[in-house]
Amino acid sequence: MATRSNIIFSENGKPFVNIYRHWDGYPSAAGVELCEFLQSKTVVNGIGGDQQSVANGAGCLAAWFLATFKTEAGNYYINPLMPDSHQDNAFGYIVDVRQDGTIVSVWQGETLLFKGSVEDCLQFCKKD
């Protein structure tokens, strides 16, 4: 049985892409992978330096994520954005890129399980 999840990327509270993950959407799998990925990138405004460790804004970060994890047919899909689309599946993740840092929210259906920094989210997901 699949554990479905959505990963929504937003910038300053405005969602712009919804990535559907069909398998292993629970926090100890999808959440850990997402947070470890987010820790590996620094969001910047303009490209310079090590281009493998930076994302030029939130859109670049979302594209990096999909390029990293979409390795074969299935499992990851881009779905339409809909209000509260993180609630459509077993788990939902919202990655909100802000000027003061990235905030990650973890949902189970309509219940908010966690909201905070990438580092704190990683610790939360590892204890799942």
Side-chain angles (χ1 to χ4, degrees), residues 29-49:
V32 168
E33 289 176 3
L34 173 62
C35 291
E36 286 177 345
F37 165 81
L38 293 171
Q39 283 187 321
S40 75
K41 303 293 180 209
T42 301
V43 180
V44 297
N45 183 7
I47 301 173

Side-chain angles (χ1 to χ4, degrees), residues 60-73:
C60 184
L61 183 66
W64 263 116
F65 176 82
L66 200 53
T68 300
F69 290 99
K70 180 70 176 176
T71 59
E72 61 189 11

Side-chain angles (χ1 to χ4, degrees), residues 20-113:
Y20 167 74
R21 179 176 169 153
H22 189 71
W23 299 103
D24 298 334
Y26 43 87
S28 62
V32 168
E33 289 176 3
L34 173 62
C35 291
E36 286 177 345
F37 165 81
L38 293 171
Q39 283 187 321
S40 75
K41 303 293 180 209
T42 301
V43 180
V44 297
N45 183 7
I47 301 173
D50 178 9
Q51 294 185 18
Q52 295 300 310
S53 65
V54 299
N56 189 20
C60 184
L61 183 66
W64 263 116
F65 176 82
L66 200 53
T68 300
F69 290 99
K70 180 70 176 176
T71 59
E72 61 189 11
N75 202 22
Y76 288 93
Y77 302 85
I78 296 175
N79 279 353
L81 277 170
M82 297 167 45
D84 298 322
S85 56
H86 63 275
Q87 298 174 2
D88 293 343
N89 293 305
F91 292 96
Y93 304 87
I94 299 175
V95 177
D96 189 21
V97 178
R98 305 173 180 189
Q99 285 183 320
D100 60 345
T102 299
I103 300 298
V104 182
S105 301
V106 181
W107 295 79
Q108 185 171 18
E110 295 183 20
T111 303
L112 177 64
L113 301 176

